[in-house]
Amino acid sequence: MSDWPEGRNGGPDERYGRGSASPQPEGARAMPHVRRRPAPPQSAPRIPPQQGQGYDGYGETPGYDSGYNTGQVYGGGQGGGGQGGGRRGGGDSGYVQSRPAPNWGRRIKVGVLTLVVVVLAVSVGTYFWADGKLKREVDLSKVIDRPSEGDGTNYLVVGSDSREGMTAEDKKKLHTGSAEGKRTDSMMILHDGSNGPTLISLPRDSNVEIPSFVGSESGKKFAGTGRTTKLNAAYAEDGPELLVRTVEFNTGLHIDHYVEIGFGGFAGIVDAIGGVEMDIPKAFKDKKSGADFQAGKQTLNGEQSLAFVRTRYAFAGSDLDRTKNQQKFLAALASQTATPSTILNPFKLYPTMSAGLDTLIVDKDMSLWSLGNMFFAMKGVTGGEGTSMNIPLTGQSVNGNLVWDKDKVKQLVEQLKNDEKVTVKGS
């Protein structure tokens, strides 16, 4: 029995009814303006048409995918879309994929966190790198009969004529000579306290008494005999430990840390930062140091800087004038090094630190933090509350050596111990 309506037998030429034998779907033949839409992937859920969306009153057979458009493409923005929840806008012939708005707050937080992690990693790496370069060779525990500690921190800063690591060409270029061993070319006490830093130069030709001491290598005790000599002879006799012992004995001031730098490291630091600008008030020359300077502002390289701080024969005050130039130069070096352009620039920071740390000798208790504090205290010497001076002298001499004014030195030391404002005037 036929299910077709009366008068329709479903023959091959029949053009009506769903049983047409034409290879083209009837909907496409009856509605040629409807474009065929590709079938959705198997994984996509099928969305059944809404009632009334079929044609000629026929609905879709459940479970049957005809593969051609059901008429939904002409929905007014309410019909079900394709994959991903896309929606059609009115009159648009394509699908617009909706995307969530970017979460800028989260992105900023992630960016900041990443930056902090990188900065911390670099900082920690730099700390251990620099800490490993420090030569902690001076053992202040070997110093006997030490004065009591006071307020603030006292550094004994020593510039030595060590030629360690220098080639013959370096020695010739820097006019250092080729003497074996090392001697102190400059000695200073830097006090860092609440009333500002104070830098006190100790002339190498100061007449001092060598006290009893314990040999840094032998461990043998040598009794004091009351003999006097130049201050730098203490260093030559038994190194940094005896120098600290001699300074403490003759001043009564406790030395907390010892810092020494040689010729090569000094010149290397200056070259690493691109030179140090100095204002030289009067032209001078010195064949022994290699100095040859005109008056006025100029930028000194490493070789010129070393000549500047070593010159003494060109000045009427000899070693006293030299110590003043040394103070002036070290303060300028610190001020021009402790700047954002150096600290935040790895191409300047690492060469500068490397040049200094390679030849820097410190005491066993020195930390990078203490070394940094010393550096910034040196920077503050010429500004604000800072003070620089030579140790007070009497104007007399013993065997050509400079004699300290004991009363003024005592007053100066008391002010430093109590971390008071320094009122004593130096020479």
Side-chain angles (χ1 to χ4, degrees), residues 301-349:
N301 61 24
E303 177 184 350
Q304 294 170 322
S305 299
L306 191 57
F308 180 81
V309 299
R310 294 184 63 220
T311 298
R312 62 171 175 163
Y313 294 107
F315 307 127
S318 187
D319 201 38
L320 292 180
D321 286 340
R322 177 171 71 164
T323 56
K324 292 175 182 178
N325 279 344
Q326 290 171 346
Q327 292 176 348
K328 185 188 301 183
F329 183 86
L330 288 177
L333 174 63
S335 295
Q336 295 173 42
T337 303
T339 61
S341 63
T342 298
I343 296 175
L344 300 179
N345 183 354
F347 297 102
K348 269 192 174 183
L349 176 63

Side-chain angles (χ1 to χ4, degrees), residues 70 151 234 237 264 304 337 355 359 386:
T70 62
D151 296 328
E237 186 173 333
Q304 294 170 322
T337 303
T359 57

Side-chain angles (χ1 to χ4, degrees), residues 65-314:
D65 185 359
S66 65
Y68 58 86
N69 195 285
T70 62
Q72 289 176 295
V73 293
Y74 287 97
Q78 297 181 3
Q83 301 179 50
R87 294 179 58 88
R88 281 192 52 82
D92 193 359
S93 61
Y95 284 87
V96 178
Q97 195 78 4
S98 63
R99 297 179 182 176
N103 189 337
W104 289 108
R106 183 175 181 276
R107 292 186 180 185
I108 292 173
K109 289 179 181 179
V110 171
V112 170
L113 180 60
T114 301
L115 179 62
V116 170
V117 171
V118 171
V119 170
L120 285 176
V122 172
S123 299
V124 171
T126 299
Y127 178 89
F128 284 105
W129 168 78
D131 188 72
K133 278 184 168 289
L134 277 181
K135 298 179 180 179
R136 297 182 173 92
E137 299 177 359
V138 180
D139 189 356
L140 296 183
S141 67
K142 295 180 179 179
V143 181
I144 62 173
D145 302 331
R146 309 193 66 186
S148 60
E149 297 182 17
D151 296 328
T153 304
N154 299 312
Y155 302 86
L156 181 59
V157 183
V158 174
S160 77
D161 63 1
S162 171
R163 297 155 179 84
E164 182 179 353
M166 296 175 64
T167 64
E169 184 179 350
D170 292 334
K171 295 174 184 177
K172 182 179 180 181
K173 178 182 177 182
L174 299 176
H175 300 271
T176 64
S178 299
E180 296 298 326
K182 59 181 181 179
R183 286 156 293 279
T184 53
D185 220 41
S186 62
M187 290 157 284
M188 305 178 188
I189 294 174
L190 175 64
H191 174 81
D192 184 19
S194 58
N195 278 294
T198 302
L199 185 63
I200 306 163
S201 287
L202 309 176
R204 56 183 286 176
D205 294 338
S206 297
N207 193 70
V208 294
E209 180 181 342
I210 301 296
S212 58
F213 68 96
V214 173
S216 58
E217 296 294 334
S218 65
K220 179 181 177 182
K221 185 172 182 178
F222 297 87
T225 60
R227 64 186 174 97
T228 61
T229 185
K230 293 181 179 181
L231 179 59
N232 66 341
Y235 182 95
E237 186 173 333
D238 198 49
E241 288 85 357
L242 179 55
L243 178 60
V244 171
R245 167 72 174 134
T246 302
V247 169
E248 289 187 340
F249 177 82
N250 285 269
T251 62
L253 184 68
H254 182 92
I255 299 299
D256 298 292
H257 293 294
Y258 177 92
V259 181
E260 176 187 326
I261 189 167
F263 283 162
F266 183 84
I269 292 174
V270 176
D271 286 335
I273 66 170
V276 174
E277 184 178 347
M278 293 292 297
D279 189 358
I280 300 176
K282 186 178 179 181
F284 65 90
K285 286 186 178 182
D286 182 18
K287 289 184 178 180
K288 290 192 174 182
S289 67
D292 186 1
F293 297 105
Q294 299 299 317
K297 287 186 177 181
Q298 50 205 286
T299 299
L300 310 186
N301 61 24
E303 177 184 350
Q304 294 170 322
S305 299
L306 191 57
F308 180 81
V309 299
R310 294 184 63 220
T311 298
R312 62 171 175 163
Y313 294 107

